[in-house]
């Protein structure tokens, strides 16, 4: 069974740039998987950031961007802010449906 | 503005039942695929079930098949999740979410969640 993989944790300095990735244990991620990204701060509901690889959801600042980098989907945050400290989940469309990655906990310090 | 408000969570014993509701507003509910996603304490997100806009197609994660039933009442702009034979591993916050389609499916809006605790 193919699993969606994400870095368990990552840290970035305030004002810095960070790229989180979303891969597969078998095979490469492409636009066919329709990557989407969701942000979740502790105790809160998820918030949709990116859909269809690189489209920003309404109200999402342009310092969040999505792309395909090599064989993975990627979420890049430029000019990181303190309130970006959250968990970030990617979702890929697989043959069996939409599958969440395990999430990346981003620390801003 | 889209609003999704879940209710019906609570404490239930193993083997018990619970019915979750989600009240939707701010969009054309009757045209929307809807979904339930859950999150166990300290864990990641897990898709649970989808339902087509007219209720004619339903899909479930394997771990809840035969125990959970997703349904909707378009006249009431409401989504439901009937959960039977609950297990400890069903303990989670359950989120109602709206599915949207662009070049593919994604979750466009989320409710605030309702906590289900299965324990004796």
């Amino acid at each position: 069974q193919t699993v969606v993989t994400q870095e368990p944790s990552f840290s970035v300095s305030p004002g810095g740039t960070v790229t989180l990735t979303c891969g597969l244990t078998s095979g490469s991620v492409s636009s066919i998987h329709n990557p989407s990204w969701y942000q979740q701060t502790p105790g809160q509901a998820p918030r949709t950031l990116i859909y269809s690889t690189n489209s920003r959801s309404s109200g999402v600042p342009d310092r969040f961007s999505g792309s395909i980098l090599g064989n993975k989907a990627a979420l890049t945050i430029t000019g990181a802010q303190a309130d970006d400290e959250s968990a970030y989940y990617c979702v890929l469309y697989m043959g069996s449906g939409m599958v969440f990655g395990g999430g990346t906990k981003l620390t801003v310090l | 503005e889209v609003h999704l408000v879940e209710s019906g969570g609570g404490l239930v014993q193993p083997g018990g039942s619970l019915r979750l509701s989600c009240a939707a507003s701010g969009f054309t509910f009757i045209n929307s695929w809807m979904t339930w996603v859950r999150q166990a304490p300290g864990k990641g997100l897990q898709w649970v079930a989808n339902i087509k806009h007219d209720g004619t197609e339903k899909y479930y994660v394997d771990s809840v098949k035969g125990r959970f039933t997703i349904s909707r009442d378009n006249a009431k702009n409401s989504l439901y999740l009937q959960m039977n034979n609950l297990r400890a591993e069903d303990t989670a916050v359950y989120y109602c979410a709206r599915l949207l389609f662009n070049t593919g499916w994604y979750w466009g809006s989320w409710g605030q969640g309702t906590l289900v605790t299965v324990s004796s």
Side-chain angles (χ1 to χ4, degrees):
Chain A
Q1 179 180 350
T2 301
V3 174
V4 179
T5 62
Q6 296 184 248
E7 300 88 356
S9 62
F10 229 113
S11 63
V12 62
S13 299
T17 296
V18 62
T19 296
L20 311 181
T21 67
C22 175
L24 294 169
T25 53
S26 176
S28 298
V29 177
S30 72
S31 59
I32 291 175
H33 295 96
N34 198 57
S36 53
W37 291 89
Y38 306 85
Q39 176 192 45
Q40 187 182 36
T41 52
Q44 299 296 314
R47 171 197 182 196
T48 305
L49 293 177
I50 300 289
Y51 61 94
S52 299
T53 305
N54 55 14
S55 296
R56 269 184 298 276
S57 189
S58 176
V60 174
D62 59 7
R63 55 197 185 78
F64 291 91
S65 62
S67 64
I68 300 291
L69 287 180
N71 62 351
K72 295 183 179 182
L75 173 70
T76 299
I77 307 171
T78 57
Q81 302 178 359
D83 59 4
D84 294 335
E85 187 160 294
S86 303
Y88 292 85
Y89 294 91
C90 73
V91 172
L92 300 179
Y93 181 81
M94 314 283 281
S96 55
M98 295 163 71
V99 180
F100 282 97
T104 297
K105 183 177 180 181
L106 179 67
T107 301
V108 180
L109 51 74
Chain B
E1 185 181 358
V2 173
H3 278 290
L4 297 168
V5 180
E6 301 92 337
S7 60
L11 175 64
V12 60
Q13 292 187 340
S17 298
L18 213 55
R19 189 196 195 205
L20 306 183
S21 299
C22 172
S25 61
F27 64 99
T28 307
F29 183 76
I30 196 170
N31 290 344
S32 298
W33 281 72
M34 297 296 296
T35 189
W36 289 98
V37 171
R38 68 183 179 183
Q39 186 171 36
K43 302 296 184 182
L45 297 165
Q46 181 188 38
W47 166 74
V48 174
N50 286 348
I51 185 168
K52 192 177 179 181
H53 53 80
D54 59 4
T56 58
E57 295 181 32
K58 303 176 183 182
Y59 302 92
Y60 301 92
V61 66
D62 285 347
S63 59
V64 309
K65 284 180 182 176
R67 301 188 299 122
F68 289 13
T69 302
I70 189 171
S71 63
R72 63 193 296 159
D73 185 337
N74 287 341
K76 295 182 178 180
N77 283 358
S78 293
L79 176 72
Y80 306 102
L81 187 67
Q82 177 67 44
M83 303 185 295
N84 298 331
N85 191 21
L86 282 159
R87 306 166 180 167
E89 55 265 35
D90 296 318
T91 294
V93 174
Y94 285 74
Y95 295 101
C96 161
R98 180 189 182 198
L99 273 168
L100 296 176
F101 188 87
N102 186 34
T103 58
W105 292 102
Y106 66 100
W107 287 290
S109 305
W110 301 78
Q112 86 289 347
T114 187
L115 176 63
V116 173
T117 303
V118 184
S119 174
S120 54

